[in-house]
Amino acid sequence: MQAAPVRPTARPLAAARFALRAVETLLLAGGQRTARRNAWSAVVEDRRAARARAESQSVIEAVSDRSSQAT
């Protein structure tokens, strides 16, 4: 009579998944911080550029109004 084949249990796979996820979390933690910092820098830069565009537009309109009144 032959013995039934030994099947791997789910426990070692779950432990391996947990270990991999823990390592992934440790490795990506700094990357996520960097990504958030980069995203915030982009938001700040976009706001600065939008403010500069609005100021430029108002200056152009003011100069345009003066030019049309002078003629």
Side-chain angles (χ1 to χ4, degrees):
M1 205 182 215
Q2 279 185 334
V6 177
R7 294 184 194 173
T9 61
R11 281 269 190 238
L13 290 177
R17 265 191 228 122
F18 177 77
L20 286 174
R21 191 148 323 244
V23 169
E24 179 184 33
T25 300
L26 286 173
L27 292 176
L28 292 179
Q32 288 175 351
R33 257 192 310 268
T34 302
R36 283 191 201 106
R37 195 177 316 121
N38 289 344
W40 182 248
S41 295
V43 167
V44 169
E45 180 60 25
D46 285 348
R47 289 177 179 170
R48 187 203 60 76
R51 205 168 21 253
R53 272 194 309 275
E55 290 172 3
S56 298
Q57 184 67 31
S58 64
V59 168
I60 290 171
E61 288 172 357
V63 169
S64 167
D65 288 345
R66 286 185 194 149
S67 298
S68 63
Q69 289 174 359
T71 16

